[in-house]
Amino acid sequence: MTGERTAGERTAGERLAVLTGGQLAESFAKTAHGVLRYGTREVVCVIDAAHAGRRAVDVVPFCASPAPVVADVAAAHALGATTVLLGVAPFGGRLTEAWREMLGTAIGLGMHVEAGLHTDLRADPELAAAARAAGVQIRDLRAVPDDLGVPLAEPVGARVVHTVGSDCAIGKMSVVLELDRAARDRGLRSVFVPTGQTGVAIAGWGMAVDHVISDFVAGAADRLVREGAGRGDLLWLEGQGSIHHPAYSGVTLGLLHGSSADALVLCHRVGRTAVYDYPGTPLPPLADIVRGYEQAAGWVRPVRVAAVALNTAGLDDAAARAAVDAAAAETGLVADDVVRFGSGRVLDAVLAALPD
Amino acid sequence: MTGERTAGERTAGERLAVLTGGQLAESFAKTAHGVLRYGTREVVCVIDAAHAGRRAVDVVPFCASPAPVVADVAAAHALGATTVLLGVAPFGGRLTEAWREMLGTAIGLGMHVEAGLHTDLRADPELAAAARAAGVQIRDLRAVPDDLGVPLAEPVGARVVHTVGSDCAIGKMSVVLELDRAARDRGLRSVFVPTGQTGVAIAGWGMAVDHVISDFVAGAADRLVREGAGRGDLLWLEGQGSIHHPAYSGVTLGLLHGSSADALVLCHRVGRTAVYDYPGTPLPPLADIVRGYEQAAGWVRPVRVAAVALNTAGLDDAAARAAVDAAAAETGLVADDVVRFGSGRVLDAVLAALPD
């Protein structure tokens, strides 16, 4: 996989403006939140008229970014932004007229635009013509290579940790990003391997595997870990979906079987007792979810869950501690909320579980 | 899903020529074999210079078709063929120059062409122009709707039986076609629901789910069974891949979870002890494969394996009987080779397992 084929490596020195147009505080803006908290490119500002004049961190503490929020694209341009990233996944993944206009303005002002919609912006004749005229790029974070195949049956040459989850949108990406950062802080050659559009926006490489033809999901995972092995020797492969999700379980299993994982980290949102999108699909007890993932992995290649990463958002610290203790007692594994309490204990447990 | 969006319903009165160009006897020609044995459209002839002058059944007994084999496209045209179906899946799914030439000849003679390659023939400018000039259709058996989504959480309104397997290419489609035929012979409103290109070529509707974006596999299965429910009340949903297949397990699980299955039939090729494409991936004992599928289904919705359908090709009758008895003893389920010994016993077991 090369920069040309995927969303690609970004040019050094780019300065981002993250467009959330009124929705910075909403969960739809998870791409914005992830890029603000974990991104490696400089973020000049957020564009969001509803929150203009504040700092990102004051609107969403998780962002942990002092970037100012400005009212419009022109203000971002005045601050020196070179690229506008659409930081919201609108319902259905289609481009609305309002977004389209703002992105058109950005192109007119000579800025690159970057988005991960189901609509490929490069296929919009008007935006494409404007980008050609302005000499700027339109980048599709969901673009996937057209030469994908099946996994190679060969060692990857790196140790791979894969996050799996009880449900979608519970923080699997945040967990690998926290663990990767903690591992790098310890001097390890650690690499985050992105499998979704937000991860691609953060890391500047990777692949949105949910946009790959179904026959090639495992092959895509395999290609990603091999590319990761060229960047370091401890890989954190972002998970997608859940084996319990009626719509997305196939992506989950394909990633799991294509990952060559040496250890799994199970992510769970405390209090979630049914699949969020399918309330009629109950989730089993945590220990059964652990067993399910180990069974599923074992159909192709055995691997164990090394630790449980809980998302305790919405609980106070005492309730969060109690939830962590209960999860550890139930599963017999190290458990923690790595965002709230730090990643040290989960990282220790993962490193202890890995082969030398 | 409508005829326009997928490969679609075929025009009544079409007369097929199945093109295998030298490979009729090879396993690559499984689309040809399936269409010859199970197809509902009249097959005028097979086009295969290597076997010209014989009958299909004499080259491949499984075809069970007296259709003559002719040497070239012109001979098929002379026999009154209206449509040429490419019956071979060439390695990698790409169109070779030789096939392209033969299909071009067919178009020039005023015949429709039909294929399920990874290459979409409609994107070939020369073939497309020739088809327009001749007023004939180029049909892509792998074309999928562009408005797929996620499964509905609603009853389907029909009883669904889904074939699952220990490996790829072991006869899952043949098993559902035999069971569907036997059920119709008993007067049941039974329907074959195709999930692969060969099934689409046979039935004239359905969807090649391996060509769907990974996020939509379960949604595709759900749409197929709902369309099937408009055609009958006992549905046989073709399975794909295997939970043990390192490349394709994601498709398998997506289909399983999107299928709303009321009963499963496990297909297995006797003597297969490792995944064919990945000899380093061993298969567990048959009883464990049964348990694995029931566990996997249960992550979303519990369903049991009702019977085991063995493929005993290559064994003599006595060895086949012994294999059937051993599988029944190991799993505690009814087992049989439905192609060799008939579908009655497996059909009885499935019907007994279904809700009223």
Side-chain angles (χ1 to χ4, degrees):
Chain A
M1 187 171 42
T2 69
E4 290 71 56
R5 286 206 207 102
T6 69
E9 308 282 350
R10 306 291 169 248
T11 317
E14 273 198 18
R15 291 183 302 280
L16 282 188
V18 180
L19 175 61
T20 57
Q23 301 188 38
L24 175 58
E26 310 297 323
S27 64
F28 300 119
K30 79 173 192 175
T31 298
H33 303 162
V35 168
L36 285 161
R37 183 179 175 95
Y38 300 111
T40 50
R41 288 178 288 177
E42 183 190 349
V43 178
V44 175
C45 63
V46 173
I47 305 169
D48 194 313
H51 302 284
R54 304 177 68 193
R55 299 179 308 160
V57 66
D58 299 327
V59 181
V60 179
F62 175 84
C63 293
S65 161
V69 183
V70 301
D72 54 30
V73 169
H77 184 247
L79 287 176
T82 60
T83 303
V84 172
L85 166 70
L86 183 55
V88 177
F91 187 69
R94 313 267 170 199
L95 186 67
T96 66
E97 196 43 50
W99 302 118
R100 206 172 153 278
E101 224 168 89
M102 289 189 269
L103 294 175
T105 303
I107 290 170
L109 290 169
M111 295 188 274
H112 305 299
V113 302
E114 201 168 302
L117 302 163
H118 274 306
T119 322
D120 184 351
L121 292 184
R122 297 170 301 184
D124 182 310
E126 220 171 294
L127 291 182
R132 266 194 308 275
V136 299
Q137 297 168 15
I138 298 178
R139 300 175 192 146
D140 178 10
L141 295 170
R142 267 181 159 155
V144 295
D146 60 4
D147 63 343
L148 289 170
V150 298
L152 306 176
E154 288 167 18
V156 168
R159 296 175 303 170
V160 180
V161 186
H162 181 44
T163 45
V164 293
S166 56
D167 202 353
C168 293
I170 55 167
K172 288 184 288 289
M173 188 191 70
S174 298
V175 168
V176 290
L177 283 161
E178 295 290 340
L179 291 167
D180 168 53
R181 184 152 68 182
R184 282 187 284 109
D185 287 348
R186 293 191 191 181
L188 298 172
R189 292 186 62 233
S190 173
V191 177
F192 163 55
V193 182
T195 63
Q197 54 162 314
T198 301
V200 171
I202 290 169
W205 71 286
M207 206 191 311
V209 295
D210 61 359
H211 219 63
V212 160
I213 282 178
S214 61
D215 250 7
F216 298 146
V217 172
D222 183 64
R223 188 181 290 199
L224 285 170
V225 294
R226 288 176 199 283
E227 179 160 354
R231 296 164 178 260
D233 49 27
L234 173 61
L235 311 182
W236 302 91
L237 181 69
E238 180 188 0
Q240 295 290 338
S242 164
I243 54 172
H244 295 282
H245 197 287
Y248 304 135
S249 59
V251 179
T252 308
L253 190 66
L255 263 181
L256 181 62
H257 283 168
S259 69
S260 299
D262 298 298
L264 304 177
V265 174
L266 176 68
C267 303
H268 176 64
R269 173 142 190 164
V270 173
R272 183 71 52 92
T273 56
V275 174
Y276 185 82
D277 296 329
Y278 290 85
T281 304
L283 289 174
L286 204 52
D288 289 354
I289 301 176
V290 169
R291 259 193 297 277
Y293 273 107
E294 291 180 344
Q295 283 163 343
W299 295 332
V300 165
R301 183 171 179 271
V303 57
R304 303 295 299 271
V305 174
V308 175
L310 294 180
N311 177 343
T312 62
L315 301 184
D316 64 26
D317 276 5
R321 287 266 175 228
V324 163
D325 292 346
E330 182 186 343
T331 61
L333 297 168
V334 167
D336 215 335
D337 182 330
V338 300
V339 171
R340 184 191 287 242
F341 297 127
S343 334
R345 294 177 60 237
V346 169
L347 181 57
D348 287 343
V350 168
L351 293 176
L354 289 176
D356 291 327
Chain B
M1 188 171 42
T2 69
E4 290 72 56
R5 286 205 207 102
T6 68
E9 307 282 350
R10 305 290 169 250
T11 318
E14 273 198 20
R15 291 182 302 280
L16 282 187
V18 180
L19 176 61
T20 56
Q23 301 189 37
L24 176 57
E26 310 297 323
S27 63
F28 301 117
K30 80 173 189 176
T31 298
H33 303 163
V35 168
L36 285 161
R37 184 179 174 95
Y38 299 111
T40 50
R41 289 178 286 176
E42 182 189 349
V43 178
V44 176
C45 63
V46 173
I47 305 170
D48 194 313
H51 302 284
R54 305 176 68 192
R55 300 179 308 160
V57 64
D58 299 327
V59 181
V60 179
F62 175 84
C63 292
S65 162
V69 183
V70 301
D72 55 29
V73 170
H77 184 248
L79 287 176
T82 61
T83 302
V84 172
L85 165 70
L86 184 54
V88 177
F91 188 68
R94 313 265 169 199
L95 186 67
T96 65
E97 196 42 51
W99 301 116
R100 205 173 154 278
E101 224 168 88
M102 289 189 269
L103 295 174
T105 303
I107 290 170
L109 290 169
M111 295 189 272
H112 305 300
V113 302
E114 201 169 303
L117 302 163
H118 274 305
T119 321
D120 184 351
L121 292 183
R122 296 170 302 183
D124 182 310
E126 219 172 294
L127 291 181
R132 268 194 308 277
V136 299
Q137 297 167 15
I138 299 179
R139 300 174 193 147
D140 178 10
L141 295 170
R142 267 181 159 155
V144 296
D146 60 5
D147 64 343
L148 288 170
V150 300
L152 306 176
E154 289 167 18
V156 168
R159 298 176 300 171
V160 179
V161 186
H162 181 43
T163 46
V164 292
S166 57
D167 201 353
C168 292
I170 55 168
K172 287 184 287 290
M173 187 192 71
S174 297
V175 167
V176 289
L177 283 161
E178 295 288 341
L179 291 167
D180 168 52
R181 183 151 67 183
R184 283 187 282 110
D185 287 348
R186 292 191 192 181
L188 299 172
R189 291 187 62 234
S190 173
V191 176
F192 163 55
V193 182
T195 63
Q197 54 162 314
T198 301
V200 172
I202 290 170
W205 71 286
M207 205 191 310
V209 294
D210 61 0
H211 219 64
V212 161
I213 282 178
S214 61
D215 250 6
F216 299 147
V217 171
D222 183 65
R223 188 181 291 198
L224 285 170
V225 293
R226 288 177 199 283
E227 179 160 353
R231 296 165 179 260
D233 49 27
L234 174 60
L235 310 182
W236 303 91
L237 181 69
E238 180 188 0
Q240 295 289 338
S242 165
I243 55 173
H244 295 282
H245 196 287
Y248 304 134
S249 59
V251 179
T252 307
L253 190 67
L255 263 181
L256 181 62
H257 283 168
S259 69
S260 299
D262 297 297
L264 304 177
V265 174
L266 175 67
C267 304
H268 176 63
R269 173 141 189 166
V270 174
R272 183 72 51 93
T273 56
V275 174
Y276 185 81
D277 295 329
Y278 290 86
T281 304
L283 289 174
L286 203 53
D288 289 355
I289 300 176
V290 169
R291 260 192 297 277
Y293 272 108
E294 291 180 345
Q295 283 164 343
W299 295 332
V300 167
R301 183 172 179 270
V303 57
R304 304 295 299 272
V305 174
V308 175
L310 294 179
N311 176 343
T312 62
L315 301 183
D316 64 26
D317 276 4
R321 286 268 174 226
V324 163
D325 291 345
E330 182 186 343
T331 61
L333 298 168
V334 167
D336 215 335
D337 181 331
V338 300
V339 171
R340 185 191 287 241
F341 298 127
S343 335
R345 294 176 62 236
V346 169
L347 181 57
D348 287 342
V350 168
L351 293 176
L354 289 176
D356 290 328

